[in-house]
Amino acid sequence: MIFDLEMINAFYKDLSVKIAELRKKLDHPLTLSEKILYSHLYENQRVSSFKHGVDYVDFAPDRVAMQDATAQMAMLQFMMAGKDHTAVPTSVHCDHLILAKSGAEEDLRSAGVTNKEVYDFLSSACNKYNIGFWNPGAGIIHQIVLENYAFPGGMMIGTDSHTPNAGGLGMIAIGVGGADAVDVMAGTGWELKFPKLIGIKLTGKLNGWTSAKDIILKVTGLLTVKGGTGSIIEYFGEGAEYLSCTGKGTICNMGAETGATCSIFAFDKSMHDYLKITGREDVAKLAEANKNNLISDPEVYKYPEKYYDQFFEINLSELEPYINGPFTPDLATPISQMKEAVKKNGWPEDVEVGLIGSCTNSSYEDISRAASIVQNALNEGLVAKSEFKITPGSEQIRSIAERDGFLDLFRKIGGEVFANACGPCIGQWARKDAESKKVNTIIHSFNRNFSKRTDGNPNTHAFVASPEIVTAIAISGKLTFNPITDTLVNSEGVKVKLSEPTGIDLPPHGFGNIEKGYQKPSLKKGDEEIKIADGSDRLQLLVPFEEWDGRDFLNLPLLIKAKGKCTTDHISMAGFWLKYRGHLGNISDNYMIGAVNYFNEQTNSVLNQLTGEYAQVPGVARAYRDSGKGSIVVGEENFGEGSSREHAAMEPRYLGVKAVIVKSFARIHETNLKKQGVLPLTFVDKDDYNKVRESDKIDITDLKHLAPGSKIRIILHHSDGKNEEILAQHSYNEAQIAWFEAGSALNIIRKSNQ
Ligand code: SF4
């Protein structure tokens, strides 16, 4: 079955006309990103030559996808919007809540018990609102989207930061918060600052031990975790055409680590073939017929410096494998320099666990290449020195990897296959002895490696590499092992060298039952009841946030001045807390508990100005809220980087935080704060961060005059009686100011449907 073929047909039918009209209006050669963005303008959006990185534009994405951890809050919000069904095709995927502990079967069974009420809620809400529901075990959201929903030239949003994975099939796919998903599901325009464009030309061809993953590991190192912010990364060149569709997906997936809005590749044969083998030949034909509209114009490829805001080239023939980390995905080290880096930085050299798979790297190509290394190792009499874990991205992939003997090979070398779910990639790994907080090293082919992300242990040094390199390193047991140059000693004491990996892009015997685990919305009478258990501590109906009362925020105590990196994992931790993602009251007890307090360098310990004592952040925030005041949060650069989780914005709103003032924001988090009615402000002079003191009371003034581009006067009242005035800025446009005034963006939709 091809999902939503009618919608896809309609899109391609209009595409040529839309692009022709666009050419007349813009009168310049078009990049692929521009073609897709302009052909998805919302009905009321005026067309003009939008300034990249400046103009806010309303879009009409084709579809929405949500994973279970974020879908709960998104659905709870959608329920307040007053709609009967979603305006665009939407899907929900149960992948984040499955604990990786005792192997796939047992873990799935226990997830069905522990998460029953959440799955019942999501499944019933999907039925009511005509949303496709993918049961636990069916697979991870991005893999399922690539296998079933993505189409070249389309535009989608997803409540998960790695939604850009669908760029591997030529789609503009953007990670957003649940409130954004509600906009699209409710049929209103979805607003985005028109992205800047980064062009990356890939020349040459991958060879030997390098793979698509190494391209994005290098790009993340080049751009850093902030360099892609507000931009679409568009890849092209002959090197791109040699890459498989799933390899392209890997690059787009991990592009999220640069802060990029999304990444994309132009339509080519690899996409055509992937569509065909996944049962979507009709879509492949439609894309083929529209090919010229699914690639950039020839002039763009000829003079890329003229048409991209930033441009660079990577020669794939010279690229070597990379290992990124620990603790951040942009610390990129070429494998040839790893020995030196390990020594210099004192990283633990022994690797305890190697993990492959996840939504990022579990294609047939990835699995078959990793399996070829394992086969070679077994033939040579080698055993794996590290533990080895495999997380298939979908039931589809798992079943064909089983059918074609790859999983058996992994088992032979001691590998353990986890459920088709996020598991260790999102702190859902019941890793033995993790609570002992031992200093240790692991290496995985996931995309993100912030502190505590896999096992909750802050001393786990997590490194990211391709599945091939992870597999080789797991066999060697050493982070310093370079399979290109080094040898290993086998069980007979003989030195052996691993052969270069070999693999197959697409399964020669095809994919199996593509829809296994899918629940079609039933729409039968009687199915409209949404199930929320009485007294549930996992689900809680939302109460609309209050409107702004029109007054400045005066004398608000500082809740926390966060020091250094403050990702959404620090703001609203995953792992144990995932189970409260549908209960705003309960999950708010994790607010900022991972952030480091600038004044005492501790986590979850801040001064309560009401008592003069140190206490946990959520408790102090509640005390300030309940005293009728609320509070202010201060932070540093790229605040809120990482995932799209809107809990990181709903929690402060719920706990009475009125404003978050930082040196700079990550895009999704800043938008999420605006949507939930919390003021995101940035210091005009970043050094003013240093002026904020622990016992400050803070005024935020001029709110009545909040206007696009206006400055906000902030007065710091120090406890020694001195006051200091500083300036902050914001990125609100007119429509967003209305969100702030209404108390949240959702309040506006809700009122329009009353
Ligand atoms: S990045 Fe990890 S947590 Fe996120 S969807 Fe992929 S596997 Fe799941």
Side-chain angles (χ1 to χ4, degrees), residues 95-96 140-142 160 162 358-360 422 425-426 447 453:
D95 53 5
H96 275 59
I140 307 174
I141 176 169
H142 311 306
D160 189 277
H162 294 100
S358 87
C359 68
T360 326
C422 302
C425 184
I426 189 70
N447 42 35
R453 177 152 174 115

